[in-house]
Amino acid sequence: MSYETYTPLFHEICTKVNNAKDKSAKIKVLRKYRTHALEMFMKAALCPEIEWMLPEGDVPFIPNEAPEGTEHTLLSQAMAKVHNYVMLNRDKLDLPPVIGNANLNRMKREMMFIQLLEGLHEKEALLLIDAKNKVINKKYKGLNATTVCEAYGWNSNFEPMNAS
């Protein structure tokens, strides 16, 4: 029996999902590499109630040219800081939004995001920008809310389904 000793980067997982032949194969990939950080990433990228408090579009950052697996931060580790850049819109519940870090002003938030991107491998940084722009499903075939929710046992609100 062989064991994988390499944990793929998020952009590699997304590519594996993209390259999987059908929905069941895509779900299998998502389940195989499931971690709390990957779940957080998928929610931030696909959940319509999570809004990024950053300008839309491209981000002016200097890509980290270090080879994969060397001098860069992992997106899986950086997910612990994503709360600084998002808010949970609770309009459907007639409640105010939940802002991850309400004490940050817009300029500081944007500067921190650029620094985060510059610490990541370029492909991971571009993936995070795609997540911010909510276009990950356009770049990776089959990587959409329906597939992710099915893979992780979530309802359409990206919450665990009740185990009844």
Side-chain angles (χ1 to χ4, degrees):
M1 177 183 276
S2 65
Y3 295 97
E4 278 191 37
T5 57
Y6 173 75
T7 302
L9 300 174
F10 282 7
H11 78 89
E12 294 171 313
I13 295 169
C14 292
T15 299
K16 286 176 184 278
V17 171
N18 181 73
N19 294 342
K21 298 292 181 208
D22 56 25
K23 186 175 181 180
S24 64
K26 293 173 188 307
I27 288 171
K28 188 175 180 181
V29 170
L30 288 166
R31 287 179 178 164
K32 179 176 183 177
Y33 298 109
R34 185 179 188 173
T35 62
H36 180 66
L38 185 60
E39 287 181 8
M40 287 174 36
F41 174 79
M42 293 300 172
K43 284 182 183 183
L46 297 168
C47 180
E49 275 73 42
I50 294 179
E51 296 179 19
W52 290 76
M53 298 183 303
L54 296 164
E56 289 185 33
D58 292 334
V59 181
F61 77 102
I62 300 168
N64 184 335
E65 295 179 5
E68 280 186 19
T70 60
E71 307 275 328
H72 54 78
T73 309
L74 298 175
L75 183 51
S76 59
Q77 296 167 335
M79 287 309 299
K81 298 177 183 170
V82 167
H83 70 277
N84 289 309
Y85 315 110
V86 297
M87 72 174 180
L88 177 62
N89 184 337
R90 302 188 307 167
D91 287 346
K92 289 181 183 176
L93 302 173
D94 288 327
L95 294 170
V98 175
I99 298 174
N101 188 344
N103 296 325
L104 285 178
N105 66 42
R106 186 183 64 86
M107 188 67 96
K108 177 72 173 170
R109 180 175 285 114
E110 290 175 20
M111 184 178 68
M112 285 173 52
F113 189 69
I114 290 169
Q115 290 171 342
L116 172 67
L117 293 173
E118 291 178 348
L120 295 169
H121 182 275
E122 181 178 7
K123 289 180 181 177
E124 295 276 85
L126 293 172
L127 180 66
L128 187 58
I129 293 170
D130 288 343
K132 171 192 77 74
N133 291 331
K134 301 284 188 174
V135 296
I136 193 170
N137 59 325
K138 292 176 177 70
K139 303 262 175 120
Y140 297 92
K141 186 176 64 180
L143 189 55
N144 55 49
T146 305
T147 303
V148 170
C149 287
E150 186 175 333
Y152 295 158
W154 295 339
N155 63 25
S156 61
N157 293 323
F158 289 75
E159 298 166 342
M161 287 195 232
N162 293 335
S164 332

